[in-house]
Amino acid sequence: MSSITLHPNAKKPGKVIKQTFPVLEMTCAACAVSVESMLKTATGVENASVNFANQTALIEYDTTIVKPADLQNVVRSIGYDLVVDEDDPQAVKEEAQRKHYEEVKSRTIWSTVLSIPVVAIGMFFMDMPYGNYISLVLTAPVVFYFGRSFFVHAWKQARFGKANMDTLVALSTGIAFLFSAFNTFFPEFWHSRGIHAHVYFEAAAVVVAFISLGKLLEERAKSSTGTAIKKLMGLQPKTVRVSMDGVEMEIPIARVKVGSVILVRPGEKIPVDGIVTSGNSFVDESMISGEPVAVEKRAGEKVFAGTINQKGSFQIEALKVGGDTILAQIIKMVQEAQGSKAPVQKLVDKIAGIFVPIVIGISILTFITWMALGGDNAFTHALLTSVTVLVIACPCALGLATPTAIMVGVGKGAENNILIKDAESLELAHKVNAIILDKTGTITEGKPMVTNLVWLEGESAATLYQNTLYTIEGQSEHPLAQAIVDRLKEKNVQFIQLSGFESITGKGVEAKTSTETFYLGNQKLMEEKNIELAEEVMQKSVYWQSEAKTVVFFANQRKVLASIAIADKIKETSRSAIQALQNKGIDVYMLTGDNQHTAAAVAKQVGLLHYKAEVLPSEKAEFVKQLQAEGKVVAMVGDGINDSHALAQADVSIAMGKGSDIAMDVAKMTLVTSDLNAIPKALNLSTKTVMGIRQNLFWAFIYNVIGIPLAAGVLFPVNGFLLDPMIAGAAMALSSVSVVGNSLRLKLAKI
């Protein structure tokens, strides 16, 4: 996007900031284009990007030249609104969307109810006394009240020299109604010329009803967009406990300053970025790193807002508060990534943009030609044929083409554990040629598990010591201990009495029974306690580590009793799913915050050719941008908060259903299952849906291609044939039936 030229009297850029604002009253992609173009030309605006799907505008502007209120006035000047200076702009937007949805729903119901008797009269009771007058009375509110938005939006587009679906609906229904009203009140005008005064009320009413239904389906999809930003903000507690002059007190988080000493208790969310001053605990940092193993925190180590303290308690000194925290930065990045995407014109709107002027042009040309060459009945035939051209071009099937295919496609996805909440991503997914997979929770199970537990002296040692091992790990706070406890629960184990228990920081634990002392921990602990590690034990250890497993030893004072390997298990379906994607010619990448050894081992096991280790959340999003810059259509698959920025940046975003709520809200597709084979299925579904849309558009247009020339009277010079309006109506109905029938075929397709 190019920068605009600033007003000649304006100051040079002083303080340029990026800010996201909700936009109200947008009803189509063309609206977003209009808002964006107006903002880009405003004085002091460096750049602007309006996202129709999110109903937001990301504006880069100079605060010394222009204020948010000025931007609001610019947008209001073309009939839309910008939400500024609100305590909760997101809530204002959601309320506006809810009201608009209810309005469209009401309009669809009432227009359908009123259209049914009009169709019945027009098709079966044409000779009914006062039938035309009854149809007129019923059709008028459908067209001019329940369908008024089509006329309003068509006028808005016309002011900027644009045309869309609303233009065609407004023109065709408006002219059909006015022409029919004329024929109702003045039928003699046609009777005196030997022509039946036909009315088109049913065509006008049905078109409004059907198109309203299409709009309702679109609004329903939009209104279900998640509240990701709100949920992210909810990760920060509202109040905190601080220590001031030796006294503990609870204060609002807004009052926390840099340097404040905050008490964090077990199970609490950490409110700010800070450094531990006293105490120790394990902290779940999966929202930052994506890794499932909690990290031990001691005095002098950093902690981050939004992460969760587990069992211990500690005090922290606040280093970054408010908008400077890592959590706040993640929120900002997600907002910008969501808002920075250029609006995508819907396929139907693009076609309508060309189709509408062509149809109007043909109608005018038809009128002129008949006036010039029509002889005695020139005006009669000119008026009849030009109006018939507009009527036969009514976009009933065109309005149904996309929503019906999308509706069936979404339903088919749900049957296969694929939840799709953005039609745009369903349309785009078939073009994907690069897929990025997170490791933890996506390729792997997302929870540490014992993969190997070897008792060096066989089952006799297991019988003798497994209760002791179970008891020790049951008392340990270390996250890996839970994996061992879960493994031993499968055996007939029970707790025993310990006479002593001591945690040895960074190494393991020491425990005592009435008769023996036991050690459980890493190789360093064994060496420190002079416990011999046999060559067999070391060989196993080296081998397990090469498979990216964490190795733990269980020993008494004399020797190692058992060696245990713990790993985040790879899903059984990961390899086959990755292979299926690569066979499609798609480049598959794995990005992980884990170490290089683990990443290499996982990549080898699942057959991946491309991977990157020790990647931060922001770097994931940068990698997505890098691939997009290379011209690739990128899909991102993730399950954690740390993936949310990359998910928002990707062309197609897919969340694992067992992941975080944030990931699922940001993503446009969610896999209910943890089976990665659902990803190739989602891409196949997209291919078949897009194929269905294209076929529907063919059926929507084919009768126009044939019918419009006939309506214009091309056969009249040959055999005196002029298209009967009833045939035109039947063709329109057949086109709609063909479209719906073709969409329903997708239900039977294999994906």
Side-chain angles (χ1 to χ4, degrees), residues 287 438 442 617 620 636-648 663:
M287 65 146 294
D438 178 47
T442 302
K620 289 185 181 182
M636 172 73 195
V637 185
D639 73 324
I641 296 171
N642 64 302
D643 301 318
S644 57
H645 183 200
L647 285 166

Side-chain angles (χ1 to χ4, degrees), residues 254-332:
R255 285 178 53 194
V256 176
K257 304 282 191 283
V258 173
S260 296
V261 177
I262 299 166
L263 174 65
V264 183
R265 292 173 296 193
E268 289 185 341
K269 293 167 184 171
I270 294 169
V272 297
D273 292 359
I275 190 166
V276 179
T277 55
S278 65
N280 63 81
S281 181
F282 287 92
V283 175
D284 179 358
E285 292 189 336
S286 58
M287 65 146 294
I288 301 291
S289 66
E291 301 308 313
V293 179
V295 181
E296 188 176 7
K297 297 292 182 182
R298 291 170 290 167
E301 295 191 347
K302 287 185 177 180
V303 291
F304 304 99
T307 58
I308 301 168
N309 182 30
Q310 293 198 328
K311 294 182 180 179
S313 63
F314 52 79
Q315 288 187 335
I316 62 171
E317 181 186 337
L319 298 179
K320 291 181 179 178
V321 299
D324 296 327
T325 65
I326 294 285
L327 176 61
Q329 293 304 311
I330 291 175
I331 293 170
K332 188 180 177 185

Side-chain angles (χ1 to χ4, degrees), residues 6-14 62 64-65:
L6 296 179
H7 194 276
N9 299 325
K11 303 175 195 173
K12 290 183 179 179
D62 189 338
T64 62
I65 298 173

Side-chain angles (χ1 to χ4, degrees), residues 571-574 576-577 656 671-679 681:
K571 292 174 186 173
E572 293 178 5
T573 56
S574 291
S576 61
M656 307 304 292
L671 307 182
V672 178
T673 174
S674 57
D675 186 353
L676 282 187
N677 281 312
I679 298 172
K681 282 186 177 181

